């Protein structure tokens, strides 16, 4: 009995630990920040940092679709035929807090790279935890 309970505890701990991964930044090209000077790069970095500290909110999207078509198949009486079909699909957006945070962190890294390329002394603040 102890073996079963220990196995369940260990399995749930591993499962929950796998879900609590840190968000890795996605790649954003630093070339889009080449036209900014050192002060603008620092301001943009600070703006993104403040957004991260206040909590990232992804854009709200709805995933509803409606389709109308003509379908064919075997009928219940052994016949074959065509008939109208309507389908309603409700989906979920892949734009979650983690994907939005990964994109924002990627932008922040791109700003730091652009600042290093220009020789700007950018002040990088550590991510604070709440």
């Amino acid at each position: 009995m102890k073996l079963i309970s220990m196995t369940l505890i260990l399995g749930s701990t591993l499962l929950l630990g796998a879900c609590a991964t840190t968000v890795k930044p996605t790649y954003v090209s630093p070339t889009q920040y080449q036209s900014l000077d050192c002060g603008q790069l620092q301001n943009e970095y600070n703006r993104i940092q403040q957004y991260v500290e206040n909590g990232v909110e992804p854009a709200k999207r709805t995933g509803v679709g409606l389709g109308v078509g003509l379908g064919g198949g075997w009928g219940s009486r052994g016949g074959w035929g065509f008939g109208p079909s309507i389908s309603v699909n409700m989906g979920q957006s892949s734009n979650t807090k983690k994907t939005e945070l990964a994109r924002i962190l990627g932008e922040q890294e791109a700003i730091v790279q652009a600042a290093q390329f220009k020789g700007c002394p950018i002040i990088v603040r550590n991510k604070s935890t709440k």
Side-chain angles (χ1 to χ4, degrees):
M1 192 62 163
K2 275 188 167 182
L3 181 63
I4 293 173
S5 63
M6 288 300 287
T7 305
L8 286 174
I9 290 172
L10 180 63
S12 62
T13 303
L14 289 174
L15 184 64
L16 291 175
C19 296
T21 60
T22 59
V23 177
K24 294 183 174 99
T26 58
Y27 175 75
V28 176
S29 176
T31 57
Q32 66 183 354
Y33 298 104
Q34 283 181 346
S35 63
L36 302 179
D37 63 16
C38 293
Q40 291 171 326
L41 287 170
Q42 184 66 55
N43 288 339
E44 186 67 12
Y45 181 90
N46 292 342
R47 183 189 65 79
I48 291 174
Q49 184 64 32
Q50 185 177 11
Y51 180 61
V52 170
E53 288 175 358
N54 290 337
V56 175
E57 286 296 323
K60 303 215 185 284
R61 294 184 185 173
T62 58
V64 178
L66 177 66
V68 179
L70 184 65
W74 295 102
S76 61
R77 298 182 192 171
W80 192 87
F82 290 99
S85 66
I86 298 175
S87 64
V88 177
N89 299 317
M90 297 182 77
Q92 180 178 349
S93 171
S94 65
N95 195 14
T96 63
K97 275 190 176 186
K98 284 189 176 186
T99 57
E100 179 72 6
L101 181 61
R103 184 185 65 80
I104 293 295
L105 292 176
E107 287 181 9
Q108 219 173 22
E109 279 191 1
I111 291 169
V112 170
Q113 289 174 2
Q116 288 173 346
F117 180 75
K118 289 185 167 218
C120 297
I122 193 162
I123 299 171
V124 178
R125 295 189 295 172
N126 291 331
K127 279 78 177 165
S128 63
T129 56
K130 288 189 173 186

